[in-house]
């Protein structure tokens, strides 16, 4: 069975959007293994610092994953 990991920055704050995403994850679980990893958004004020911090968090999550990275 194919496995897909989705890494996202930030959390879904609106409940109806989170519920919709959960619904689609549940639907996809019948045909593939799907994992969603939420990376906390940076709280830095400067855009460049935010990007750098979030990029480092994503890279750390990628180091823990297996398989191909697209």
């Amino acid at each position: 069975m194919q496995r897909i990991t989705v890494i996202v920055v930030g959390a879904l704050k609106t409940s109806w959007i989170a519920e919709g995403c959960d619904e689609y994850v549940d639907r996809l679980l019948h045909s593939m293994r799907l994992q969603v990893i939420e990376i906390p958004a940076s709280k830095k004020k400067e855009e460049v610092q935010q990007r750098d911090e979030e990029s480092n968090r994503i890279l750390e999550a990628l180091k823990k994953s297996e398989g191909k990275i697209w």
Side-chain angles (χ1 to χ4, degrees), residues 24-46:
Y24 280 102
V25 167
D26 288 341
R27 290 182 187 186
L28 290 171
L29 289 177
H30 299 290
S31 58
M32 67 183 67
R33 290 173 41 203
L34 179 68
Q35 176 185 15
V36 178
I37 299 173
E38 293 181 359
I39 304 294
S42 174
K43 296 184 181 191
K44 304 278 184 184
K45 295 185 180 191
E46 297 294 324

Side-chain angles (χ1 to χ4, degrees), residues 4-19:
I4 296 176
T5 301
V6 179
I7 300 174
V8 298
V9 176
L12 297 174
K13 296 178 183 175
T14 309
S15 63
W16 65 272
I17 295 175
E19 291 170 11

